[in-house]
């Protein structure tokens, strides 16, 4: 993975963010880090990450299953120019793909979260490949995108998952170090209970996104585009 191309933000950028303007910056087995240097049918296995090593003062906001369908969320992403990442499951997000097309049009990235949200760990290779590659095809057909990031349902995976993901064109399996819950609180899977540069945040309560943005700024951070760092 490579470092992002964006310079650290200062107080001026934080003030701009709070004013509602741009804030773009250019855990299993829940052990994050780089996947073992094995091969999956001639392919390197994808990296498994919950944190991206970087010197940039950025964190990454991710959302699963198309949880946020409030039209006002589209406005928030557009007004704040938020480079969020959405991991979509076809059976959950499919009925509202038009909504996600609008989010994509204002800068959201659409990535893979399987067809049916089955727990993949211990499934045979063929079943895991069908879930991952099937959603690759769905997203490519609907949006013309070929995701290179994948989040396994419930954060559960095994080596077979990594092989199947590699064979479907996935470059990184994305977990999370912090979760934003319905009370607006951040909980952490490991380490010090505060955000650090490079942390990946799973936002399970999208309606609390604005509160989260305030916490991010208070800690001297900003939101980065995950795809630019993986």
């Amino acid at each position: 993975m490579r470092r992002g191309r964006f310079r650290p933000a200062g107080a001026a950028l934080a003030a701009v963010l709070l004013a509602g303007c741009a804030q773009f910056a250019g855990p299993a087995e829940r052990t994050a880090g780089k996947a073992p240097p094995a091969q999956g049918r001639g392919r390197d296995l994808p990296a498994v990450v919950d944190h991206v090593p970087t010197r940039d003062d950025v964190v990454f906001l991710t959302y699963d299953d198309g949880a946020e369908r409030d039209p006002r969320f589209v406005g928030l992403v557009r007004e704040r120019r938020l480079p969020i990442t959405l991991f979509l499951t076809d059976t959950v997000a499919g009925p509202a793909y038009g909504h996600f097309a609008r989010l994509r049009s204002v800068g959201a990235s659409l990535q893979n979260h399987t067809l049916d949200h089955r727990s993949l760990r211990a499934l045979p290779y063929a079943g895991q490949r069908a879930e991952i590659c099937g959603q690759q095809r769905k997203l490519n057909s609907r949006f013309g995108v070929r995701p290179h990031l994948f989040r396994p349902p419930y954060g559960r995976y095994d080596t077979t998952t990594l092989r199947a993901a590699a064979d479907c064109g996935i470059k990184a399996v994305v977990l999370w170090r912090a979760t934003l819950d319905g009370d607006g609180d951040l909980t952490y899977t490991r380490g010090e209970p505060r955000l650090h540069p490079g942390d990946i945040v799973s936002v399970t309560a999208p309606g609390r996104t604005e509160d989260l943005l305030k916490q991010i700024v208070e800690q001297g951070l900003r939101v980065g585009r995950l795809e630019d760092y993986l």
Side-chain angles (χ1 to χ4, degrees):
M1 68 187 79
R2 59 188 174 83
R3 285 183 52 201
R5 301 186 295 271
F6 303 94
R7 297 184 179 89
L13 180 58
V16 170
L17 191 157
L18 286 174
C21 298
Q23 62 184 117
F24 174 72
E29 300 185 5
R30 290 181 56 86
T31 301
K34 198 149 188 173
Q39 296 283 323
R41 293 195 176 184
R43 297 177 182 266
D44 289 336
L45 295 184
V48 181
V49 297
D50 65 3
H51 172 94
V52 178
T54 179
R55 295 180 182 178
D56 296 344
D57 293 327
V58 295
V59 295
F60 309 102
L61 303 189
T62 65
Y63 300 74
D64 290 0
D65 299 327
E68 184 50 76
R69 300 184 187 182
D70 187 335
R72 292 173 295 183
F73 187 63
V74 178
L76 174 65
V77 174
R78 180 182 60 249
E79 292 164 11
R80 296 294 187 92
R81 298 174 62 189
L82 285 176
I84 64 173
T85 301
L86 305 175
F87 290 94
L88 302 185
T89 296
D90 183 65
T91 54
V92 178
Y97 272 158
H99 171 73
F100 299 109
R102 289 189 291 275
L103 279 166
R104 181 170 180 251
S105 74
V106 296
S109 172
L110 307 184
Q111 302 292 334
N112 192 324
H113 198 41
T114 72
L115 282 175
D116 300 312
H117 209 266
R118 299 175 65 188
S119 179
L120 297 180
R121 189 166 62 197
L123 283 181
Y125 171 84
Q128 298 204 38
R129 190 179 191 280
E131 283 286 334
I132 301 169
C133 287
Q135 182 64 341
Q136 291 287 88
R137 290 190 292 270
K138 286 276 189 177
L139 293 174
N140 187 41
S141 174
R142 179 62 179 82
F143 300 102
V145 299
R146 189 75 176 174
H148 68 278
L149 303 181
F150 171 65
R151 174 167 286 168
Y154 316 106
R156 298 172 186 162
Y157 69 96
D158 56 20
T159 301
T160 301
T161 310
L162 302 183
R163 286 180 50 224
D167 291 341
C168 295
I170 296 297
K171 304 302 181 185
V173 172
V174 179
L175 304 179
W176 57 91
R177 198 185 84 84
T179 302
L180 182 74
D181 63 25
D183 294 325
D185 296 324
L186 283 168
T187 58
Y188 298 84
T189 62
R190 61 181 179 83
E192 185 182 7
R194 64 181 299 273
L195 291 173
H196 294 278
D199 279 349
I200 298 170
V201 182
S202 173
V203 183
T204 62
R208 294 281 188 173
T209 297
E210 289 193 275
D211 293 336
L212 175 59
L213 295 177
K214 293 178 183 178
Q215 294 184 59
I216 290 170
V217 171
E218 288 170 357
Q219 296 188 44
L221 302 167
R222 66 192 189 282
V223 180
R225 185 179 299 281
L226 183 59
E227 293 70 29
D228 289 341
Y229 289 76
L230 290 177

